[in-house]
Amino acid sequence: MIGLQEMLMQTVDDKIYLFPSWPKDWDVSFKLHAPYNTTVEAVLKSGKISSINVSPESRKSDVVLMLK
């Protein structure tokens, strides 16, 4: 399970990297916790990100999309 979470989200310092090693053709919907009391929810369907929610909103600028 941790391996799948690492494929979806990784954090380095203040940055939150989404989909760093997730296959683009795998659909997924998730809600994960990140440092600094941050929650990230995202949906990937048919190779496209259909939604991303970051709470608190102030951490949204720290999100880096890695989907290729």
Side-chain angles (χ1 to χ4, degrees), residues 9-65:
M9 182 180 77
Q10 295 178 13
T11 59
V12 178
D13 298 325
D14 290 343
K15 294 294 181 188
I16 301 169
Y17 296 94
L18 293 183
F19 307 107
S21 59
W22 191 259
K24 188 176 183 177
D25 57 336
W26 290 7
D27 292 348
V28 65
S29 173
F30 68 88
K31 179 178 182 178
L32 295 172
H33 296 277
Y36 307 109
N37 202 26
T38 303
T39 304
V40 178
E41 295 180 76
V43 177
L44 175 70
K45 187 165 183 166
S46 300
K48 302 204 187 241
I49 299 170
S50 60
S51 71
I52 295 177
N53 295 312
V54 181
S55 178
E57 186 74 24
S58 61
R59 292 276 284 148
K60 195 167 190 170
S61 62
D62 295 325
V63 172
V64 178
L65 297 177

